[in-house]
Amino acid sequence: MPMYRLFFVTYFAILCIWNVQAQNSFRFKADITTKIKNTDGTFQYTKGSAYYDRNAKKIIYNITFPQKEIYVSIDTLVYKYVNNKQESVMGNALKPEFSIYHFILNNDISDFGLKKSSFSVGNIEKADDLIITKWIPPAGNNSFFGNIIVSTKSKRLNSVLIYNPEGVLVNRQIYKKYKSVNGVEIPTEILTITYFGGVKKYQIVEFRNVVINEAGNDLMYNFNVSKI
Amino acid sequence: MKKFLFKSLSVSLALLLLNMQSFAFNLKSTVDFTSTEIEATTDFNDSEIYEAFADISTLDHYLQTNEDKTYSDLELEDSSMLAGVSSTTTLPLSSSASDELALGIPSFLWGCVFGIVGVLVVYLMTDENKDQTKKAFFGCIAGSLIGTVLYVVVFAAAATTATTTY
């Protein structure tokens, strides 16, 4: 086989393997730490493990600190378990399929999942080494969100700025310390500032020991909320 | 060789054209960036966020090496690490656990139907959650108002009927 043909065949084979690998990512597991500084100066520290299966569409948090608890997020509800007993049910506006875990597994994280949403691209600009995209909400948008500014650095999500419909900045996020696990790009540190008028709430989320496509442990990934 | 290169070039150009079309479709309405939007993106100073957590760095380091410790364990061992730290869990990257519902029933309904008892139930079952207790309290006020209005209407109707009878 001539050299140039061998080169093209190898090139396309690598591209196909990369694509198939990214498409086949369906499970995410990581040790997770969440630190929050509230607007009144108090702190919240939560530590545990997160499990997400793209097909089951359930996020399971096995929390070890402050207390040993399990939280299961399904659709718009979160079930809380203590000592294997369901203790309460909470409302949650963020469905699992719109979570960062879903975006990571779907390779949608670089645009913050907005490409598949009702938002449209308003403008794109290059500043320093960042590609900045302005996403505008659909006309007649009555939600909490206004424009969203997403920046990428070397094709990786770098920051997200969320404005309210009045054009006031309400949330800033920065995605750092990327690691590639099984061909999936994962930001292992997410820093957030939420603005409430003149006061700020800070949050740091860290992922450690990330596992993609863990085999077994099915009962945890597809936690049956009615079973216990 | 020449034929193969021409074919490759044609396929690449076709793909590029297809890509540019979808890109152009997305850019149907251009909205200019403001200078503050660009500045807010490029001047994101993350040191401010790290500094905000300096007070709990000891707790952070301790929990990295003592993974099984809970809040109650630390209260007994060294409560100084827990200064200013709440004992409530916060779910990461969610819309917060402050939306906890007692038995999955909206707090407003608890207050509206069961009055002050409903408020007490919400307060106790949501781990003293102020937001939910407030909702239950508003429900209680709404329930009381509805009850009063109904009572007045029924009483007035009864009185009118009695007057007409005599």
Side-chain angles (χ1 to χ4, degrees):
Chain A
M1 189 185 275
M3 201 61 187
Y4 67 90
R5 281 202 179 178
L6 188 70
F7 169 77
F8 278 113
V9 167
T10 316
Y11 175 73
F12 282 114
I14 289 170
L15 271 183
C16 288
I17 291 167
W18 188 318
N19 200 31
V20 166
Q21 204 169 32
Q23 295 279 324
N24 282 343
S25 305
F26 63 99
R27 274 184 175 181
F28 176 96
K29 178 195 165 187
D31 292 335
I32 186 166
T33 304
T34 307
K35 291 176 265 184
I36 290 177
K37 187 174 186 182
N38 294 306
T39 51
D40 60 1
T42 59
F43 295 95
Q44 281 173 284
Y45 192 105
T46 305
K47 203 169 181 297
S49 303
Y51 299 80
Y52 180 70
D53 186 308
R54 199 171 64 171
N55 301 316
K57 291 190 176 68
K58 295 175 185 176
I59 306 171
I60 293 92
Y61 291 108
N62 190 5
I63 304 296
T64 54
F65 188 91
Q67 286 92 32
K68 287 186 168 48
E69 297 161 333
I70 291 178
Y71 288 86
V72 184
S73 175
I74 305 172
D75 200 45
T76 54
L77 291 175
V78 178
Y79 298 84
K80 177 183 172 184
Y81 292 87
V82 179
N83 295 326
N84 291 334
K85 278 182 81 176
Q86 194 184 105
E87 201 169 80
S88 62
V89 185
M90 294 163 267
N92 182 17
L94 191 73
K95 285 184 176 185
E97 51 266 48
F98 299 110
S99 68
I100 188 168
Y101 313 112
H102 195 85
F103 294 159
I104 286 173
L105 294 175
N106 260 10
N107 265 346
D108 288 338
I109 191 164
S110 62
D111 58 34
F112 197 55
L114 289 164
K115 206 172 183 177
K116 290 180 183 167
S117 74
S118 55
F119 278 67
S120 56
V121 175
N123 209 338
I124 301 174
E125 204 166 302
K126 196 174 186 300
D128 301 331
D129 50 353
L130 299 173
I131 304 291
I132 308 171
T133 309
K134 186 175 198 167
W135 291 89
I136 49 173
N141 169 47
N142 293 320
S143 81
F144 174 74
F145 299 116
N147 293 337
I148 297 179
I149 312 282
V150 175
S151 77
T152 54
K153 196 179 194 173
S154 309
K155 294 182 181 174
R156 288 168 163 176
L157 177 65
N158 178 70
S159 70
V160 178
L161 274 68
I162 301 172
Y163 290 82
N164 68 12
E166 286 77 42
V168 178
L169 181 63
V170 289
N171 187 282
R172 292 171 102 180
Q173 303 170 14
I174 190 157
Y175 293 75
K176 297 178 71 177
K177 299 183 182 172
Y178 275 85
K179 279 186 182 163
S180 180
V181 182
N182 287 14
V184 180
E185 292 286 318
I186 297 151
T188 59
E189 193 173 79
I190 304 165
L191 314 177
T192 308
I193 307 178
T194 309
Y195 300 89
F196 298 96
V199 287
K200 298 173 189 175
K201 179 182 171 181
Y202 299 96
Q203 179 173 263
I204 298 179
V205 175
E206 294 164 326
F207 296 119
R208 289 194 182 87
N209 305 320
V210 180
V211 180
I212 298 292
N213 293 351
E214 185 188 29
N217 215 355
D218 295 348
L219 289 175
M220 191 52 114
Y221 283 102
N222 196 9
F223 198 98
N224 192 344
V225 289
S226 58
K227 212 172 186 179
I228 301 175
Chain B
M1 172 75 180
K2 203 175 172 184
K3 198 176 170 187
F4 180 79
L5 280 175
F6 266 123
K7 273 185 181 172
S8 304
L9 187 69
S10 316
V11 171
S12 304
L13 285 173
L15 285 172
L16 188 71
L17 189 71
L18 207 69
N19 235 347
M20 292 301 280
Q21 274 178 341
S22 54
F23 187 67
F25 176 75
N26 279 336
L27 269 173
K28 57 190 173 189
S29 54
T30 304
V31 181
D32 286 337
F33 281 100
T34 62
S35 56
T36 47
E37 285 172 343
I38 297 289
E39 271 173 36
T41 305
T42 53
D43 302 338
F44 199 154
N45 183 10
D46 54 17
S47 59
E48 177 191 351
I49 304 173
Y50 291 118
E51 282 162 17
F53 294 94
D55 290 348
I56 57 162
S57 59
T58 318
L59 173 72
D60 195 18
H61 291 306
Y62 181 83
L63 288 172
Q64 297 306 330
T65 47
N66 298 274
E67 295 193 342
D68 283 340
K69 296 286 181 185
T70 63
Y71 193 92
S72 318
D73 296 334
L74 285 182
E75 270 183 320
L76 296 171
E77 289 171 20
D78 184 4
S79 60
S80 64
M81 278 194 279
L82 299 173
V85 180
S86 162
S87 61
T88 54
T89 304
T90 300
L91 292 188
L93 311 161
S94 74
S95 67
S96 134
S98 63
D99 297 333
E100 188 166 356
L101 305 175
L103 300 175
I105 298 167
S107 304
F108 186 86
L109 268 183
W110 271 108
C112 195
V113 177
F114 298 106
I116 202 72
V117 177
V119 177
L120 193 66
V121 168
V122 169
Y123 180 73
L124 296 172
M125 289 192 75
T126 59
D127 294 333
E128 302 170 16
N129 185 314
K130 284 178 188 170
D131 289 336
Q132 294 302 326
T133 311
K134 202 189 276 181
K135 283 179 190 172
F137 186 69
F138 287 138
C140 179
I141 293 171
S144 306
L145 283 173
I146 292 166
T148 310
V149 169
L150 276 177
Y151 180 79
V152 169
V153 168
V154 170
F155 185 76
T160 314
T161 315
T163 316
T164 316
T165 311
Y166 287 112

